Amino acid sequence: MSEIGGIDERFYSRQLYVLGHDAMHRMGTASVLIAGMRGLGAEIAKNVVLSGVKSVTVQDEGQTAWADLSSQFFLKTSHLGQNRATCSLQQLSDLNPRVRVSAHTGPLHDNLLLQFQVVVLTDSSLDDQKRIGELCHSQGISFIVADTKGLCGQLFCDFGEEFVVLDGDGENPASAMIQGISKDKSGVVLCTDDRRHEFSDGCKVSFSEVRGMTELNSMGPVEIKVRGPYSFSIGDTSAFSEYERGGIVTEVKQLFKMNFKPLREALLDHELVITSDYGKISTNHTLHLAFQALHSFVKKEQRLPLPHSQADADALLDMVRELNTVAQLELDEAAVRKLSYTAQGDLAPVNAFIGGIAAQEVIKACSGKFTPLQQWLYFDALECLPEEEDELAECSRSAKRMRYDGQIAVFGSAFQEKLERQKYFLVGAGAIGCELLKNFALIGLGAGEGGHVTVTDMDFIEKSNLNRQFLFRSQDIGKPKSDVAAKAVRQMNPQMNITAHQNRVDPDSEGVYDYNFFKGLDGVAAALDTVEARAYLDKRCVEHQKPMLEGGTLGSKGHTLVVVPGLTDSYGPVKSDSKKAIPLCTLKNFPHRIEHTLQWARDQFEGQFKQTPENVNLFQRDVGFIERTLGHGDAEALEVLGEVWSSLEDMKAGGQRPMSWEDCVSWARCKWETHYNNDIRQLTHCFPPDHETTTGLPFWSGSKRCPHPLTFDPSSTTHMEYVVAAANLYGQIYGIKGTKDFASIRKLLENVEVPSFTPRSSVKIHLTDEEMEEDRERESDDAEKARLEELKGNLASLKSSSIQMYPIDFEKDDDSNFHMDYIVAASNLRAENYDIPAADRHQSKLIAGRIIPAIATTTAAVAGLMCLELYKLVQGHQKLSSYRTSFFILALQHFVWCQPRRAQPFEVAGKKYTLWDHFLVEGRCSGQQEMTLGDLIQYIKKNYGLNICRLFYGPAYIYNGQEDRLKLSVSDVVKMVTKTDIPPHKKMLELNPSFIEDDDCESIPPIRYLLL
């Protein structure tokens, strides 16, 4: 299953969920030329090679210079004086052996250009851009220009006269279930209220499974007008039949065509400059003229403006003003001067961002997927410069013939030395982590005396990582991510001081990442993939007053956040997301989407192959298991203890314990019958197809789909796939070896006796989760109590059993382990019960495996933006206006930049505080005797004028007026109340007070009590 139609699904796994198979196939026929192999060209080439086009040719006539090492991560000092393209060739080829990579060291002549479907120019002259742009436009070759100068970037696209976009946004077609359709001139469609529809005005939809008004099922796509979150109109339905029930409405995506102007014409059309930052509209338009003026400056002077040269800045500004006599734009002259001051700079973070966007445009040109840039985009991060003008002037920027020359040209040598002294903690060495480490190596973070980077990641490299975690190669599969990543960046920059750990950052690792560790840091970077992990790390950063850089991706969407102590809000605690939780009764009895059947299948997997074996093993070794289980309530105890007994008792005695492979096949066949026949017959016995509610409405309507039972058919592939997967997994948890041989399993099935089943009227089926919960909490009846006692007795007789079970952890990426085989078959069979369209293995893996779609382009862009914020943190920027929070969608070239949210103030006893404030108390210093609880209360009163009335440590009350505790040391009170020792690494206790002066205050600064 790993290779389908020439696509290596394991390598491209996460990218396939962004682009889809069709787009990937189209990309596999495209040849791309990338001209210029300095930092920006290398960034684009890296992303395009990883994406999986047919071939990439990199072109460069230039030789490696010291300044190239600031951002070209394929070049080393040993390459100085050698051609940049040929020096980069091997490493580019190693990224993705499926892509043919070649180098061209000669000029860009017409015959060469005509061999490609996409041509990308970097580090090029305006004359070359115009000449090559004209040729490409006339020959139907997609043409992209990308350029960066210091803290500014430029991007241009020309995809020809009629470029066809097959899918504008890449989102899955929206769909909804229908509650009702009016028969009138408006034709209002009402959707079920389990979730809002996601349709937009003017989109087209199709109908299926509509009962009554069946004319809609055979109509072509219908344009809609949205009326509300649950309704829309489709026009006149008065001639149609009456609507009865049911139906699904699905968005029909429409292709569209785009027209592009050649570069020579587009230069004069300022309407084609898209607004990438609404706070910098005039700056974006000014940069359109300024980049043209830079080309003129270089043509005249044969060089870029000198760093912080007032004369060169004046000359460039004059050129911009001259161009503006025609354009008549509102100029941002300060931006022109700053561009001139920094134009000789070559910064890895800017190249990462512009390179990510440019590579995404290459993918659009090759695949027809997503909406291309039309046609100019400008970006600047000039707020990275020193906040005070005099600091800007004082910086020494002379080239030193060292790897950081491209960065020193912008920020100066003093800043470079400060960067090298930084101590940073990077949590996560996955996709964003790899990109951050690359940037850290290029900018020299922690690469000097006293500087250091610590990176931790507990994961090991898998094949699916290689498509975007570009520091890893196929020979690294199975090795720790952090070790391999650290080794790779040391090769990029041998001066890097970096240590790799394999720890998860959570409460269990606080002995490693303790008070002293955090106090020694300058900052933290989060490259994590869960909200919970980010929130925990954010909490530690707030406790220790450390800045945090945070970023994330979802397909072509990316975001970044910077947390600045004393200035911004923090990432914040995890917010409950109960809206997304699927109701249990929906999963159990009333699924109506494939997501429901897949979650049901995943729950079956976890229950049968993981939780029950774990409970059996706990029962075997833990004498308190039964009593602890009984403490969870009779309903849960009946279920759990029943499963444990059944798993230990062999089949001949009425249990489910297999003694042979044949028993495993028999178990799987009987499970099939239970799930897909018996349970459905019971449900439709309780609620027949014509059942009505108490109000006389059809029971099976809206989101409730009436199911039908299935009959086992050994000739059905799906039926057999379920039995084969289930039998093998069942065998695995008992240590019994199975087989994949369908023929031999069919033979065994002939001898399986499937118990007969008759639906019972006494069975209660819950319609809501509330009903289910009430039933679980009610007092058990005599029969249930008797069954519990019987189970306890039966389990006591089995206690001496020496059976060891082998719980299975779900692993979605191993096609040989039967995990996804089981999930796909189990889900699709249930979908067949309920007439829900089945999902293929690829889509099932995405949903059941909770995969986050990912692509290298977005990852590179996010890491670039995070490192631009890093520049500001290292300089110590104090103005909120200097920092940026970002959100973007590369599929649509949609960008949102805004200032971070300021830390919100709150009052306690008339004084204002923020989340960054605390009451710091040194409880024990340099071997002195620790203060008592009474001392602490007096200390807070004396130093802050506040009287403590209550004090908490976590959820535990450690003081509520108890005078006997006042003479005990604070740590002794904590140990007494929590009944646990304070770990030796715990040097700071966070205590939460309430004060007499403001007892009702919701937010109160904590007391951070030091035990040093």
Side-chain angles (χ1 to χ4, degrees), residues 644-882:
V644 170
W645 172 81
S646 176
S647 299
L648 290 170
E649 190 68 81
D650 66 50
M651 291 181 171
K652 290 178 182 175
Q656 296 290 322
R657 175 188 167 194
M659 306 304 291
S660 64
W661 168 240
E662 290 79 6
D663 285 347
C664 296
V665 173
S666 175
W667 176 88
R669 172 65 184 88
C670 292
K671 275 292 179 185
W672 191 102
E673 196 71 17
T674 299
H675 290 321
Y676 307 113
N677 185 284
N678 300 350
D679 288 352
I680 303 301
R681 286 167 58 198
Q682 180 64 62
L683 181 59
T684 53
H685 175 78
C686 294
F687 302 108
D690 58 357
H691 187 73
E692 293 183 349
T693 66
T694 54
T695 58
L697 295 173
F699 178 83
W700 296 104
S701 62
S703 62
K704 288 190 176 68
R705 303 173 72 96
C706 185
H708 62 274
L710 305 182
T711 301
F712 185 77
D713 179 1
S715 66
S716 165
T717 301
T718 310
H719 293 201
M720 283 300 296
E721 283 175 344
Y722 175 89
V723 171
V724 171
N728 274 280
L729 290 168
Y730 202 59
Q732 286 175 24
I733 62 176
Y734 284 97
I736 297 172
K737 187 173 176 56
T739 178
K740 293 182 178 182
D741 182 37
F742 273 41
S744 67
I745 294 172
R746 282 195 184 95
K747 192 74 176 170
L748 291 175
L749 287 172
E750 293 174 5
N751 300 317
V752 174
E753 291 186 19
V754 179
S756 61
F757 174 78
T758 303
R760 293 174 293 142
S761 300
S762 59
V763 171
K764 180 179 180 181
I765 291 175
H766 302 108
L767 300 182
T768 66
D769 284 8
E770 289 74 22
E771 279 185 23
M772 195 179 296
E773 192 59 33
E774 284 173 11
D775 246 20
R776 290 182 76 87
E777 291 178 357
R778 68 170 172 76
E779 188 72 25
S780 53
D781 58 27
D782 291 341
E784 289 167 335
K785 288 185 182 297
R787 174 61 182 148
L788 261 180
E789 289 303 315
E790 182 187 1
L791 273 172
K792 287 164 68 177
N794 291 342
L795 285 168
S797 65
L798 291 169
K799 190 70 179 176
S800 59
S801 170
S802 59
I803 294 173
Q804 167 74 28
M805 293 191 73
Y806 305 95
I808 299 173
D809 289 314
F810 178 70
E811 172 48 62
K812 59 189 175 293
D813 288 320
D814 181 352
D815 290 331
S816 65
N817 62 10
F818 297 103
H819 298 193
M820 280 309 303
D821 297 340
Y822 176 85
I823 296 291
V824 174
S827 169
N828 283 340
L829 286 166
R830 189 159 174 83
E832 188 180 345
N833 280 137
Y834 286 86
D835 293 315
I836 298 168
D840 62 18
R841 186 185 187 89
H842 182 68
Q843 186 69 8
S844 297
K845 186 188 283 190
L846 171 70
I847 299 168
R850 302 177 185 123
I851 288 174
I852 301 173
I855 190 167
T857 51
T858 316
T859 304
V862 161
L865 292 176
M866 290 173 71
C867 287
L868 289 173
E869 298 306 303
L870 173 63
Y871 281 149
K872 303 167 189 177
L873 290 173
V874 174
Q875 291 177 86
H877 282 9
Q878 295 298 311
K879 297 176 182 176
L880 192 70
S881 58
S882 296

Side-chain angles (χ1 to χ4, degrees), residues 147 156 159 480 550 644 682 775 801 1009:
D147 199 3
F156 170 78
F159 291 178
E550 191 274 322
V644 170
Q682 180 64 62
D775 246 20
S801 170
Y1009 182 81

Side-chain angles (χ1 to χ4, degrees), residues 19 23 26-35 40-41 43-57 99 116-122 141-146 155-159 163 354-373 855 857 890 893:
L19 298 176
R26 290 190 290 273
M27 285 170 56
T29 66
S31 296
V32 180
L33 171 68
I34 299 168
L40 178 58
E43 190 70 53
I44 298 170
K46 177 254 294 179
N47 295 330
V48 172
V49 169
L50 287 171
S51 74
V53 295
K54 178 183 177 182
S55 71
V56 172
T57 298
V99 177
F116 301 97
Q117 284 75 54
V118 184
V119 170
V120 184
L121 297 187
T122 70
I141 300 169
S142 295
F143 177 62
I144 297 170
V145 173
L155 189 62
F156 170 78
C157 292
D158 169 14
F159 291 178
F163 182 78
I354 296 295
I357 302 173
Q360 189 70 55
E361 295 305 304
V362 173
I363 291 170
K364 294 175 187 178
C366 297
S367 67
K369 184 91 174 224
F370 306 140
T371 304
L373 167 67
I855 190 167
T857 51
L890 294 188
Q893 291 297 8

Side-chain angles (χ1 to χ4, degrees), residues 37 111 159 293 338 743 852 863 932:
M37 280 303 290
N111 289 338
F159 291 178
K338 289 176 181 177
I852 301 173
T932 65

Side-chain angles (χ1 to χ4, degrees), residues 959-978:
Y959 176 69
N960 190 20
Q962 298 97 327
E963 290 192 12
D964 58 322
R965 297 181 181 178
L966 295 177
K967 293 182 180 180
L968 297 174
S969 71
V970 174
S971 57
D972 281 344
V973 175
V974 168
K975 285 188 280 188
M976 179 183 73
V977 172
T978 61

Side-chain angles (χ1 to χ4, degrees), residues 178-182 188-191 243:
I178 299 168
Q179 182 76 47
I181 307 174
S182 68
V188 177
V189 178
L190 181 64
C191 302
Y243 172 81

